[in-house]
Amino acid sequence: MRLGVLDVGSNTVHLLVVDAHPGACPLPAHSHKAELRLAQLLDDGAIGPQGVDRLISVVQEALQAAEDKGVEDLLPFATSAVREARNADDVLARVRTETGVELQVLTGEEEARLTFLAARRWFGWSAGKLLVLDIGGGSLEIAYGIDEEPDAAASLPLGAGRLTAGWLPGDPPAPDDVRALRRHVRTEVARTVGEFSRFGPPDRVVATSKTFKQLARIAGAARSAEGLYVQRELKRESLEGWVPRLAGMTEAERAELPGVSEGRAGQLLAGALVAEAAMDLFGVERLEICPWALREGVILRRLDHMESV
């Protein structure tokens, strides 16, 4: 069957269309993205009228794309930007009334668990104990375990978009602001390390998300055009060398780096600070980039439920 996943995230609204059935690898058939940056449209903790109107318009565009591509079943969900908005219930009600789409709001822990499921399926059982890191626009997800359900999962308010909007107003940012954000990020990550370290060291550390992919690319990983199955990694040593360089660049200069999109360039420094802190505090020297993430996790969970019926 042809499934569609509609992901209303903090940065983008992304429709992923796949051909899938239980027991098979979901095959991507179409991708439709619109940059929305909901995390930056929050006004006093609420999504303002213009933001809601734009969200509804983008969801309607995605619905049309899903119809055009013959999607049989649409799985719509929203993450931290909607979850944490003061007017989330009103926003969800307007989306439902005007588009017919019932957005499922995932908790941070659900995000972490579904992303972990996707990484586990991608790397398989031979990967052993997995530590999975994911930096989104609004939050950082961490999960660890040896099964398909992680033994520990956490979500921290350390998304690249959120931190950029709240901590790094300059272009390039002021050194004092960068240091203050670095301290804040490391304090937040350090609070969670003990929850995971009691399970022992992981056999493999993997990362998902656009932020990690772009950091790996500027550090020398293969281009996306070379395909999903090319192994890509990010070494802490390389990342530590890039952080001060990114801090000294303007947004326009970062956008000229290989693999960095114009829409994400402004968030790259904050994302790098979060990645560096997570790798350092969890004792990670290198990690592998996983092509699958939350959207694939949602698809896999849906297929599992179909198989069990």
Side-chain angles (χ1 to χ4, degrees), residues 106-129:
L106 300 179
T107 67
E109 184 175 318
E110 285 172 334
E111 282 191 61
R113 289 180 175 278
L114 287 166
T115 302
F116 184 89
L117 172 63
R120 168 58 72 198
R121 293 281 178 91
W122 180 268
F123 286 104
W125 297 114
S126 64
K129 292 180 286 187

Side-chain angles (χ1 to χ4, degrees), residues 187-232:
T187 298
E188 291 293 314
V189 173
R191 288 174 179 161
T192 70
V193 171
E195 179 182 347
F196 293 86
S197 60
R198 64 193 178 92
F199 293 104
D203 297 310
R204 205 160 187 169
V205 182
V206 303
T208 71
S209 77
K210 193 72 170 179
T211 293
F212 271 114
K213 289 175 183 176
Q214 291 184 342
L215 291 171
R217 178 72 184 97
I218 66 173
R223 297 176 298 121
S224 59
E226 295 183 38
L228 289 179
Y229 300 103
V230 175
Q231 184 176 345
R232 296 171 175 87

Side-chain angles (χ1 to χ4, degrees), residues 21-72:
H21 64 268
C25 175
L27 298 175
H30 179 69
S31 178
H32 175 89
K33 292 182 186 178
E35 200 165 277
L36 193 57
R37 299 193 185 185
L38 273 180
Q40 297 178 31
L41 293 175
L42 293 176
D43 181 14
D44 192 28
I47 300 174
Q50 287 185 323
V52 179
D53 290 343
R54 176 69 178 134
L55 172 59
I56 288 169
S57 174
V58 168
V59 169
Q60 288 171 333
E61 291 171 11
L63 283 176
Q64 184 61 57
E67 180 182 320
D68 291 345
K69 297 301 176 182
V71 169
E72 296 178 53

